[in-house]
């Protein structure tokens, strides 16, 4: 489902929005099939748990973009995702900072968390409310999530923004109370015994498979215990920000440059999908006859046409040399 203006308005007011059935049935089917390359089914896990020591010790399978196969990479760079982020951040210049999927398994681990914010390992500074400097974190659910399946809980920013305000002003005021809040929130998770009034407002994200939770780095949320006796919960965590805001991030994509998954992604992606990783756009000054030839040699199956045509428009003489070569 396309993310509507009403969804975006709800997000602005509350710091989160749930988009029901965001993925089509076919996209969902393909994404789940793609995940099977990494994650055993519940039945496979139960039949031979000793084959999966990582799941037994941490309760989790995690894998990061770029993924083997195509569906999860396409979901990460889905047009409806980037279109919504463009409208939220007010720019077309976006940068993907994170795309990780998690599989959690019943009866393996206590997934219960305290309400928290995610900014500590996603930015070097403090979350800003200025849309130009925000990040847009999202969670896509690949299974139906009912009350017993470890739903994410979220709290509307209406009930928590005063806490962030206290944190950001605590240093100016230097009174005992503000400093105590600052210290409590510096590791931004809320102890239920001290913040019971915030917990009263938390809402479980009960969602159909294919639904999307869009939130902010200032939105308190938490993972919760899987109470169901069986099953797994597959979720995909994606974060975008505007390009050029280097204080926010997770990892540098070139670090994965030599991996076959990245080579496959680069060779089948559109220029727009590649831009989301920081790849120079067609028409960018980076492109010359020699960089074009170098990139084409590095990725033999990549369609260089958009880059070559943009260069021809910019520097017809150079393009002539390329054609002759
Ligand atoms: O898995 C979830 O539903 C949320 C997990 C989460 O918020 C976290 O690990 O930071």
């Amino acid at each position: 489902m396309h993310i509507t203006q009403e969804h975006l308005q709800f997000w602005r007011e509350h710091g989160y929005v749930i988009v029901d059935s965001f993925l089509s049935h076919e996209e969902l089917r393909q994404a789940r099939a793609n995940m099977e390359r990494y994650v055993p089914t519940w039945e496979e896990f139960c039949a031979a748990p000793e084959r999966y020591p990582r799941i037994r010790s941490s309760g989790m399978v995690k894998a990061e973009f770029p993924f083997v196969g195509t569906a999860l990479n396409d979901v990460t760079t889905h047009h409806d995702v980037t279109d919504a982020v463009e409208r939220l951040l007010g720019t077309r210049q976006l940068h993907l900072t994170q795309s990780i999927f998690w599989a959690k398994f019943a009866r393996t681990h206590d997934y219960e968390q305290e309400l928290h914010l995610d900014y500590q390992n996603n930015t070097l500074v403090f979350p800003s409310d200025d849309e130009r400097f925000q990040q847009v974190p999202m969670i896509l659910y690949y299974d139906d999530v009912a009350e017993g399946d470890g739903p994410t809980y979220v709290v509307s920013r209406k009930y928590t923004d005063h806490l962030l305000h206290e944190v950001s002003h605590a240093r100016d005021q230097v009174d005992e109370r503000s400093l105590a809040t600052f210290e409590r929130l510096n590791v931004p998770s809320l102890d239920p015994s001290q913040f019971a009034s915030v917990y009263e407002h938390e809402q479980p994200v009960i969602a159909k498979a294919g639904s999307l939770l869009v939130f902010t780095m200032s939105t308190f949320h938490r993972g919760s215990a899987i109470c169901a006796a069986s099953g797994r919960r597959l979720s995909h965590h994606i974060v975008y920000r505007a390009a050029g805001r280097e204080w926010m991030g997770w990892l540098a994509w070139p670090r994965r440059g030599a991996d076959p998954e990245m080579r496959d992604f680069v060779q089948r992606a559109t220029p727009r999908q590649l831009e989301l990783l920081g790849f120079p756009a067609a028409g960018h000054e980076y492109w010359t006859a020699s960089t074009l030839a170098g990139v084409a040699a590095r990725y033999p199956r990549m369609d260089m046409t958009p880059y070559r045509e943009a260069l021809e428009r910019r520097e017809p003489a150079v393009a002539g040399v390329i054609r002759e070569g």
Side-chain angles (χ1 to χ4, degrees), residues 292-303:
L292 202 78
V295 172
R298 179 171 180 179
Y299 303 108
R301 287 182 285 117
M302 180 170 171
D303 178 8

Side-chain angles (χ1 to χ4, degrees), residues 102 104 113 116 118 152 221 223 233 237:
W102 299 356
K104 294 180 177 176
Q113 292 178 323
H116 62 272
D118 283 344
T152 312
H221 64 284
R233 198 198 76 158
H237 304 243

Side-chain angles (χ1 to χ4, degrees), residues 20 77 91 102 107 124 130 147 158 166 171 204 206 213 237 257 306:
D20 282 328
T77 53
T91 177
W102 299 356
R107 297 205 313 251
L124 293 173
D130 183 328
E147 196 86 44
K158 279 200 302 199
E166 275 184 55
R171 289 292 284 272
I206 303 300
L213 168 68
H237 304 243

Side-chain angles (χ1 to χ4, degrees), residues 1-11 17-19:
M1 179 205 260
H2 184 64
I3 301 177
T4 63
Q5 281 310 115
E6 288 70 36
H7 288 125
L8 302 188
Q9 192 47 39
F10 190 95
W11 179 88
V17 67
I18 302 160
V19 184

Side-chain angles (χ1 to χ4, degrees), residues 4-32:
T4 63
Q5 281 310 115
E6 288 70 36
H7 288 125
L8 302 188
Q9 192 47 39
F10 190 95
W11 179 88
R12 287 195 185 94
E13 247 173 72
H14 297 278
Y16 76 90
V17 67
I18 302 160
V19 184
D20 282 328
S21 305
F22 170 74
L23 294 180
S24 68
H25 285 303
E26 185 52 20
E27 286 167 336
L28 180 61
R29 190 193 63 73
Q30 289 186 14
R32 287 176 58 96

Side-chain angles (χ1 to χ4, degrees), residues 173-183:
Q173 296 165 4
V174 196
D175 63 51
E176 282 306 308
R177 183 171 170 273
S178 337
L179 273 182
T181 307
F182 181 75
E183 272 155 24

Side-chain angles (χ1 to χ4, degrees), residues 212-231:
L212 178 72
L213 168 68
V214 187
F215 58 113
T216 77
M217 287 292 165
S218 304
T219 308
F220 281 94
H221 64 284
R222 67 184 183 92
S224 70
I226 299 185
C227 305
S230 63

